[in-house]
Amino acid sequence: MFELSQSFYFEAAHTLRRPAVGQAEAKGSRRIHGHTYTAEVTVRGARDAATGMVVDLGVLRAAIAAVREQLDHHFLDEVPGVGTPTLENLCVFIHAQISQRVPQVHSVSVQRKSSGDRCVYTPSQA
């Protein structure tokens, strides 16, 4: 079994209602603000006997470019399908978009390095 990963970044703005945190942090989250996000898409599987690849990285990169186009320099509150722009929802959104073209997607992580936040989404393989 092999795992291959491809990383990409996007910069985007959003707002977030956070009633459970301190007043100052909740206030800042409600205002439009932005982050630089780093995402990583991991595919998993056996090598294809004919190609020797789990997935053609060109196909994966094209799928990533399509999802990056939807997110980079956009207001995430208005991106159809994202919902509330949390790290969790961004992981689910990226996974859903890319797995339509690359079914071997195993997991997606989204990170904001400047604040040390990271979320990893690995859907159950029922």
Side-chain angles (χ1 to χ4, degrees), residues 8-109:
F8 67 101
Y9 77 94
F10 59 97
E11 295 175 342
H14 72 109
T15 63
L16 191 61
R17 298 234 175 256
R18 301 171 62 199
V21 298
Q23 188 69 346
E25 192 167 344
K27 252 177 132 174
S29 294
R30 287 188 199 108
R31 289 191 304 264
I32 295 174
H33 63 284
H35 303 283
T36 298
Y37 296 89
T38 302
E40 183 176 74
V41 178
T42 301
V43 297
R44 185 177 192 201
R47 290 179 295 168
D48 178 91
T51 66
M53 298 182 276
V54 174
V55 65
D56 184 321
L57 288 175
V59 172
L60 180 59
R61 287 185 187 115
I64 287 171
V67 76
R68 186 175 185 271
E69 179 67 26
Q70 295 176 68
L71 300 172
D72 191 40
H73 287 86
H74 282 84
F75 184 49
L76 298 177
D77 298 52
E78 297 175 351
V79 174
V82 169
T84 303
T86 61
L87 291 173
E88 295 87 345
N89 285 345
L90 286 168
C91 283
V92 171
F93 176 80
I94 293 167
H95 184 278
Q97 296 295 308
I98 294 178
S99 64
Q100 290 176 20
R101 295 175 63 179
V102 182
Q104 299 95 324
V105 174
H106 172 68
S107 63
V108 172
S109 68

